[in-house]
Amino acid sequence: YVTAMYNTAIRMLAHAPEAEDVLQVSFTKVFQQLHTFRNESTLGAWIKRIVVNTALEYLRTRRKLTFVALENGQDIADEPTEEVYDWDAAMLHHAIKKLPDGCRVVFTLYALENLPHKSIAQTLNISESTSKTQYMRAKKLLKEHLMAMKKMDTAQEDGVV
């Protein structure tokens, strides 16, 4: 489970040393709390929940985890149809690491860990609309980062840079 859990931690924290620390603390908790595992989910899902909660705890205590709330009662429209892009996995990982903490956490939990906004909101103690706002903001910022990186790669290939 170490590799999968490390991937979860690194996506949430964006820094390898912090992800390693969280992973170490998480597995210590797993071994200490193994007797509480009730087989209501898979062992992997239970461990992942511990890793996610430990990463969130780390972010709350070591960094300022901030979220952008809706202004003046705005509502989030249904998400538009997804556009298809051909992004390199390394580029995408790098762009995710550049996201602000709040956006990155919500994006990771929703898009990569498949948690619904309602669960994310409860876990992070934010409103469901704030979770949706953070996700939309993360997608916008990701697209901007990826477009800029793609433009830079194209310029390098053309010998412009």
Side-chain angles (χ1 to χ4, degrees), residues 54 71 95 123 147:
T54 304
E71 296 176 14
T123 300
M147 296 295 257

Side-chain angles (χ1 to χ4, degrees), residues 7-8 11-12 48 52 107-115:
N7 289 334
T8 297
R11 284 191 302 255
M12 292 188 68
K48 184 177 278 194
V52 166
F107 181 83
T108 298
L109 294 174
Y110 183 78
L112 306 176
E113 302 299 332
N114 298 315
L115 287 177

Side-chain angles (χ1 to χ4, degrees), residues 56-71:
L56 290 172
E57 185 179 303
Y58 181 92
L59 285 169
R60 286 185 188 115
T61 59
R62 302 259 164 75
R63 297 189 202 168
K64 200 71 159 168
L65 190 58
T66 56
F67 299 96
V68 176
L70 293 174
E71 296 176 14

Side-chain angles (χ1 to χ4, degrees), residues 134-151:
Q134 291 297 291
Y135 177 70
M136 300 279 283
R137 183 170 176 238
K139 285 190 349 179
K140 179 181 178 222
L141 291 170
L142 273 177
K143 185 176 177 183
E144 289 171 5
H145 290 317
L146 289 165
M147 296 295 257
M149 289 176 5
K150 194 77 156 175
K151 189 182 278 190

Side-chain angles (χ1 to χ4, degrees), residues 69-127:
L70 293 174
E71 296 176 14
N72 300 329
Q74 290 175 314
D75 196 12
I76 299 292
D78 289 334
E79 291 184 34
T81 345
E82 296 293 321
E83 298 177 48
V84 178
Y85 296 100
D86 183 27
W87 304 121
D88 175 78
M91 267 181 147
L92 185 57
H93 181 68
H94 181 71
I96 290 170
K97 287 171 73 173
K98 291 177 120 185
L99 291 173
D101 289 341
C103 289
R104 188 181 60 256
V105 167
V106 170
F107 181 83
T108 298
L109 294 174
Y110 183 78
L112 306 176
E113 302 299 332
N114 298 315
L115 287 177
H117 285 294
K118 185 174 185 171
S119 295
I120 295 168
Q122 290 171 342
T123 300
L124 299 176
N125 198 25
I126 58 176
S127 70

